[in-house]
Amino acid sequence: MPYALFCNDAQISKAYPSESDIWQLAQRSGLVVDVSADEDRPGPRRVLDNDYEIKPCRAAQGEDPAKNKAEAERQSRIELELNS
């Protein structure tokens, strides 16, 4: 099942093949923060800023999560080249 980024129950990203893909998108967008450890988990843990959530979703009609992932990876490479 595809996953997407949500804010206040509204889907704000395209659908991607896996939850890991959305974490990467959120990280690049500056939405991931590290918080200190708690009693149950040692070391810092990743959480999303504000009211953002990662949830399973259905791809929109005609949307291809794998194509979305490939497009995001290509865009990320272009940004890296421009910033070099």
Side-chain angles (χ1 to χ4, degrees), residues 21-38:
D21 298 323
I22 295 296
W23 275 107
Q24 290 174 3
L25 174 69
Q27 181 75 44
R28 286 192 305 265
S29 300
L31 301 176
V32 177
V33 295
D34 288 331
V35 297
S36 60
D38 57 26

Side-chain angles (χ1 to χ4, degrees), residues 4-13 51-55 57:
L5 186 62
F6 289 78
C7 185
N8 296 320
D9 293 324
Q11 184 175 335
I12 61 170
S13 75
D51 294 322
Y52 295 102
E53 297 178 274
I54 295 173
K55 298 181 187 180
C57 68

